[in-house]
Amino acid sequence: MIRSTRIGRFAYLLLALMVLPLSAVVAQEVDREKIVNALAEMGFENVGYTEDEEEIIFTIQNSAYRIQGVGVAKALDLIQKEGLPNQKSCCVILLDNNIPQISVRYNNEQSGDSLATVAPRDWETSYDLGDSWKKVRKNKVKNSSLYKVDILIYPQFSFANYVITQIYTALLDFCPSVEVSLWKGSKIAAQIKIPVYNDGYGALESKVHPGHITLSQRFRLPYNIFARATVGFFSNGRYGVDVDLKMPLRNEQFTVLGRMGLTGACYWDAFKLHYDPAMTFTWALGGSFYWKRYNTEFTAKAEQWLLKEFGGRFDMIRHFRFCSVGLYAMVTDKAPMNGGFRFQLLLPPYKYKRFKNQYIPRVNVSPNMGIAYNAGNERKYYKEYRAEASDNIMQANSFNPYFIKTELLKH
């Protein structure tokens, strides 16, 4: 009887030792799913994860916060609260239109899970994804961004002092834009310009007429090359095709920049289009340096503008949380040197969420608005265009890993 009892206890103990590790694994899996569900509930899109012996990888697309760094900080808070993986790294890949942009990584060498002891400075930000994206790219995601419609109202203000009889002419437009992504990397946008105030910009600008109408496709190519191809109707009365390229170097403070466009002139008389079939080739090639201590970007490029004039352009932009400000200068042999200043302001609200029915269009003001001031009063040369309505200096810097790291340190 005593012997049977001992055998029974031994069998019970052996069974418990076999079941406990299995329970721990199941609990760990449930915790990861809990994080994914919580991130999706917060408004993040394209949320997914995978885990192996080396690391756990999350993917998120920040559609809940207008400041990318703030959105990343909120996501990291949630991940840390649930517990970082034991003796392995944790990687969060930030997406834009389902295309990976940067990685935010923490290497955990502790003997147990860490809940909230990791400081923002412990997370490393980089354009380099390593092998992490290959592991997670085919996984199913929660709260997909595909087929969801945004209606963004772009306020556009222009002014000039070309007319001798008055100090300034001015134009204020409200420009609703319907934007949707139908497949990975795509963005379809159609904009209408509604004039609110027009003093000196001509009769055509007093009529409701189309603005940007574009189809764009984003790519991430080998060697961390980011590319975007756009076709449609652009700003400054241009239509055609535009290709934009960016390649951060090994030292990610340095970036190679390139752009090519083949466009023709056009204008809208209400909804009647007038266009010139002749096409003009424009291009730009240069590079930038990001001074991470002060979040200041220096850019130098050689360019050919719309009148085929060749020259150079230099920009210095200081980026803050709620605005970007800077100076620019341009030179060509066909016109006097020109320059001025530019700024971009982040518009409230800074947090926004979709309806419970995710496919009801979300209506909001555009993320930001800005002005470039032409100090030289040059009216003919140095003309260029914006391929997408959302193109601006703040948007171009929003996925900069150094800028996002600054926001994490402020959090």
Side-chain angles (χ1 to χ4, degrees):
M1 184 70 178
I2 297 175
R3 185 178 299 174
S4 300
T5 303
R6 288 177 177 175
I7 293 174
R9 289 176 179 175
F10 178 76
Y12 178 80
L13 179 61
L14 181 63
L15 180 62
L17 290 174
M18 295 175 61
V19 171
L20 280 175
L22 180 61
S23 300
V25 172
V26 172
Q28 189 179 48
E29 292 295 330
V30 172
D31 287 343
R32 307 310 180 205
E33 288 293 341
K34 180 181 177 181
I35 294 174
V36 169
N37 292 333
L39 288 170
E41 183 64 26
M42 289 172 64
F44 291 98
E45 296 177 337
N46 301 323
V47 184
Y49 90 100
T50 190
E51 186 171 7
D52 59 20
E53 295 179 354
E54 297 177 350
E55 62 180 343
I56 180 170
I57 309 160
F58 292 95
T59 63
I60 61 170
Q61 181 162 313
N62 175 31
S63 301
Y65 299 87
R66 293 203 160 179
I67 303 172
Q68 291 292 344
V70 173
V72 173
K74 297 293 185 181
L76 296 184
D77 282 347
L78 177 63
I79 293 171
Q80 289 181 207
K81 181 180 178 181
E82 295 300 326
L84 295 175
N86 182 16
Q87 293 184 312
K88 62 176 71 174
S89 64
C90 180
C91 177
V92 179
I93 297 177
L94 191 60
L95 309 179
D96 180 35
N97 283 84
N98 271 294
I99 302 300
Q101 302 296 311
I102 69 168
S103 65
V104 184
R105 188 183 302 272
Y106 171 68
N107 293 315
N108 189 1
E109 297 178 354
Q110 301 180 27
S111 59
D113 284 1
S114 172
L115 295 179
T117 59
V118 180
R121 64 177 178 273
D122 297 325
W123 292 87
E124 296 299 327
T125 57
S126 174
Y127 289 111
D128 187 19
L129 306 180
D131 294 327
S132 301
W133 176 243
K134 294 179 182 178
K135 298 176 183 178
V136 76
R137 62 184 300 178
K138 294 184 179 180
N139 285 25
K140 291 183 178 180
V141 297
K142 183 153 291 189
N143 196 19
S144 172
S145 63
L146 298 181
Y147 314 117
K148 293 178 180 177
V149 179
D150 280 295
I151 301 176
L152 296 177
I153 301 174
Y154 291 83
Q156 295 183 358
F157 178 67
S158 304
F159 65 96
N161 58 353
Y162 299 135
V163 182
I164 299 176
T165 56
Q166 65 186 98
I167 299 177
Y168 285 105
T169 57
L171 175 67
L172 175 63
D173 292 321
F174 284 166
C175 307
S177 178
V178 179
E179 302 179 0
V180 62
S181 177
L182 299 182
W183 60 86
K184 289 185 177 181
S186 72
K187 181 180 177 181
I188 300 174
Q191 184 185 66
I192 295 293
K193 301 185 73 172
I194 302 173
V196 177
Y197 178 79
N198 181 9
D199 181 14
Y201 273 77
L204 292 178
E205 289 295 339
S206 294
K207 300 179 181 180
V208 176
H209 61 281
H212 282 83
I213 304 176
T214 56
L215 168 61
S216 61
Q217 177 66 46
R218 289 161 172 78
F219 306 90
R220 181 173 180 135
L221 306 174
Y223 305 105
N224 292 337
I225 298 175
F226 297 86
R228 185 192 70 185
T230 309
V231 60
F233 295 94
F234 308 146
S235 69
N236 204 16
R238 307 301 296 185
Y239 74 95
V241 61
D242 178 84
V243 178
D244 194 22
L245 300 168
K246 180 180 78 171
M247 184 179 72
L249 301 182
R250 184 179 295 273
N251 181 339
E252 296 180 347
Q253 291 179 263
F254 294 91
T255 303
V256 177
L257 304 170
R259 188 175 182 182
M260 298 175 291
L262 187 63
T263 63
C266 67
Y267 70 91
W268 294 90
D269 184 354
F271 289 88
K272 183 178 181 181
L273 174 66
H274 301 263
Y275 70 97
D276 185 349
M279 306 293 281
T280 300
F281 180 70
T282 56
W283 59 269
L285 181 63
S288 69
F289 170 75
Y290 195 84
W291 192 5
K292 58 183 179 180
R293 181 176 180 181
Y294 295 105
N295 285 318
T296 301
E297 184 178 14
F298 301 89
T299 303
K301 295 182 289 186
E303 294 195 50
Q304 179 173 287
W305 291 283
L306 290 174
L307 291 181
K308 298 184 179 181
E309 72 274 34
F310 170 78
R313 174 171 179 142
F314 173 79
D315 289 80
M316 181 182 71
I317 306 296
R318 177 77 184 271
H319 298 285
F320 301 91
R321 169 176 282 190
F322 296 104
C323 68
S324 295
V325 296
L327 304 172
Y328 70 94
M330 299 181 290
V331 61
T332 180
D333 59 349
K334 294 187 177 181
M337 182 177 178
N338 192 28
F341 65 86
R342 56 197 303 197
F343 67 86
Q344 201 79 23
L345 299 176
L346 190 69
L347 299 177
Y350 303 123
K351 180 181 179 181
Y352 53 110
K353 196 174 181 180
R354 296 188 184 276
F355 295 99
K356 289 186 178 180
N357 184 339
Q358 296 285 315
Y359 295 98
I360 295 177
R362 180 174 58 179
V363 181
N364 214 325
V365 180
S366 67
N368 45 55
M369 69 170 294
I371 289 176
Y373 184 76
N374 173 9
N377 263 356
E378 177 57 52
R379 302 184 64 179
K380 183 177 180 182
Y381 294 102
Y382 303 114
K383 298 299 181 183
E384 51 191 4
Y385 58 84
R386 289 182 295 112
E388 286 189 330
S390 58
D391 286 349
N392 58 70
I393 53 178
M394 287 193 77
Q395 176 64 26
N397 189 62
S398 60
F399 292 100
N400 185 316
Y402 293 114
F403 188 66
I404 289 180
K405 183 59 177 282
T406 300
E407 291 299 319
L408 294 183
L409 295 175
K410 291 179 183 178
H411 182 64

